[in-house]
Structure formats: C-alpha cells, structure tokens
Amino acid sequence: VLPAPNIHGRPDVYELENAAADPERRIELAMAGVADWEGEVLVDVGAGTGFHLERFHERAAHVIAVEPHAPTRLRALERVARLGLERVSVLAAGAEDLGLRDRSVGVTHSRFAYFFGPGCEPGLAELARVVRAGGTAFVVDNELRSGTFASWLRRSEWCRWAEPDRVEAFWAASGFTSRTVETEWRFDRREDMEAVVRLEFPAALAEAILAEHPGTRVEYHVRVRHRRY
Ligand SMILES: C[S@@+](CC[C@H](N)C(=O)[O-])C[C@H]1O[C@@H](n2cnc3c(N)ncnc32)[C@H](O)[C@@H]1O
C-alpha cells in the first residue's frame, strides 16, 4: 500500500476535497468523450473510500472498486451499502495484482492513486492483462505546470520529486495520450477549504496560501490520460 496521508489520515476532510473538486464534472466528460463506460465493466483502481463509484455506477454494467488499505476499503464498503449500489464489488487488492481475469474489463479509472509516473510499471502491465481488446485505461493526476493548485504544489517540500517533463515523457513512452482539463475546487464554506488546504500542504505553507488566497474557489488543472488496448 503506497502511503496516502490525506485519505488514510483524515478521510472526513478528504471527502470535503472530493465534494469540492470538479463541480461541473469536466473530468468525467473528457473521459466519456474518449471511451464511454455505458454497459461496461469498469474498475476503479485505488478507489479510496469510493467517492467516484456512484457516478460510474449510473451507467456501467458493473463497477469494481480495488482498494488495498483496509480501513479505507471499509469506508468504501459502507458507502456502497448506504447508497444501495447493487452493481458494485469492492476488492482487497492493489494495482500490481488486481485479482481479475485476463481481458475481463472494459474501462479502468485511477485518480490520484498509484499511477504517478516512473515506478508504476507493474500496474501498467496488470492493466494490459485485464483490459479487453478495444478497452480503455484512464489515469487522472495533477497537472504540475498550470493552474493555481500547481503553483502551490511547486512551493511544497512534499512535491520536490515531481518533475513534470520526466512524468510526461514516461506516460507518452507508455502509450498514453494526455490532455489537461481545466477545472477547480468550489467549496460551500471557507472553513472546508481551509481544512483541505491544511490537509494537503505542510503547516507553514498552508497558512501562507490561505493568507493570500481569499474566497472558496481554487483553479485546479488535472491531466487526464488514456490508453486503448
Ligand atoms: C489519494 S487516494 C485517492 C482515492 C480515490 N481515487 C479518490 O479519488 O477519492 C489514493 C488511494 O490509493 C490507494 N493505494 C495505495 N497503494 C495502492 C496500490 N498499490 N494500488 C492501488 N491503490 C493504492 C490508497 O490506499 C488510497 O486509497
């Protein structure tokens, strides 16, 4: 299990972050324009507490949430039960070994999970094994070069490792096409935004960001990558 201090440590605050993210659902729109999941088996790899399952469940034939961190996975199970999502399965597995049959999946989605660039080759090999011919894998991650959120990331000690050119070259060499989706965080309450900024950034930087950024909206660009098999 790769450490994910945000969702593992404060799933309640991470829920606020997900709820504020991409209010117009531009990410799903961009995905659906490439490959629709209507009637497909869709796997959400690194599904966390399952925030995105309900949206995929609306049109997919079946949704499989894969989440290796037990307490987080239990929250996904609780969500599935609470929302009555009858065509969702939750698996204790990870990206390197999905525990699914060869060529059994039409679409995969992975958001801010495992597929961060160099180092995720075992997961890419596993996607190539489980996705059927003509199926599509999607990876959603931060755009590191544009948007207000990226400018904050570049100031963070925690993101020293992020080298945008190397990451982009890796994905291109891995057969993925990437596009930038310009979206935003839109919070209902300032205090929710403050909690999320404090979750995602070291303390001193979080306070500096909050002092200079008023309001409840933050420009946030993501990279939506896909590969067809
Ligand atoms: C930042 S969270 C994102 C969760 C979810 N995709 C979302 O957007 O709400 C990253 C997730 O990846 C999971 N993860 C860690 N190691 C993993 C692995 N080897 N394979 C798949 N997922 C992994 C973590 O447990 C965590 O739930």
Side-chain angles (χ1 to χ4, degrees):
V1 181
L2 299 180
N6 47 15
I7 198 168
H8 294 166
R10 290 297 307 272
D12 53 335
V13 179
Y14 200 76
E15 184 77 8
L16 296 174
E17 181 170 343
N18 260 330
D22 193 27
E24 288 157 10
R25 303 201 183 174
R26 294 182 185 180
I27 296 171
E28 281 86 3
L29 262 170
M31 288 172 57
V34 171
D36 201 274
W37 47 93
E38 171 100 45
E40 297 282 359
V41 173
L42 181 148
V43 180
D44 191 1
V45 183
T49 60
F51 183 88
H52 307 289
L53 301 178
E54 185 180 16
R55 294 178 184 176
F56 293 133
H57 178 263
E58 285 168 10
R59 290 190 293 115
H62 200 91
V63 180
I64 300 170
V66 170
E67 173 52 50
H69 184 250
T72 304
R73 187 172 62 251
L74 283 174
R75 286 178 183 270
L77 285 163
E78 186 276 329
R79 186 193 303 267
V80 169
R82 175 165 41 85
L83 297 177
L85 304 180
E86 295 184 342
R87 291 171 285 107
V88 176
S89 306
V90 180
L91 295 189
E96 309 89 332
D97 181 2
L98 293 168
L100 300 169
R101 288 198 312 275
D102 293 357
R103 310 246 172 272
S104 58
V105 168
V107 176
T108 72
H109 162 265
S110 196
R111 191 172 307 200
F112 305 135
Y114 179 83
F115 294 100
F116 298 117
C120 74
E121 293 85 351
L124 292 179
E126 184 66 343
L127 294 181
R129 184 184 70 77
V130 303
V131 177
R132 67 167 171 75
T136 304
F138 290 100
V139 170
V140 180
D141 199 4
N142 291 314
E143 166 63 88
L144 299 167
R145 301 163 301 188
S146 67
T148 302
F149 186 79
S151 75
W152 295 351
L153 282 179
R154 287 196 296 271
R155 291 160 65 182
S156 169
E157 288 282 329
W158 298 346
C159 294
R160 276 278 156 76
W161 47 267
E163 298 171 64
D165 292 345
R166 187 162 165 252
V167 171
E168 293 303 322
F170 170 85
W171 286 108
S174 303
F176 278 73
T177 302
S178 303
R179 72 174 66 174
T180 298
V181 173
E182 299 187 358
T183 180
E184 66 173 347
W185 276 346
R186 197 185 294 164
F187 292 91
D188 291 334
R189 305 183 311 166
R190 172 76 186 179
E191 64 215 74
D192 293 347
M193 182 180 130
E194 291 177 356
V196 169
V197 169
R198 291 186 177 115
L199 179 68
E200 295 292 0
F201 294 97
L205 177 57
E207 296 317 311
I209 287 169
L210 291 171
E212 69 198 44
H213 192 92
T216 54
R217 295 169 74 157
V218 180
E219 180 190 46
Y220 195 136
H221 296 176
V222 297
R223 290 293 268 172
V224 177
R225 314 182 190 281
H226 77 271
R227 179 180 171 165
R228 221 179 294 276
Y229 291 87

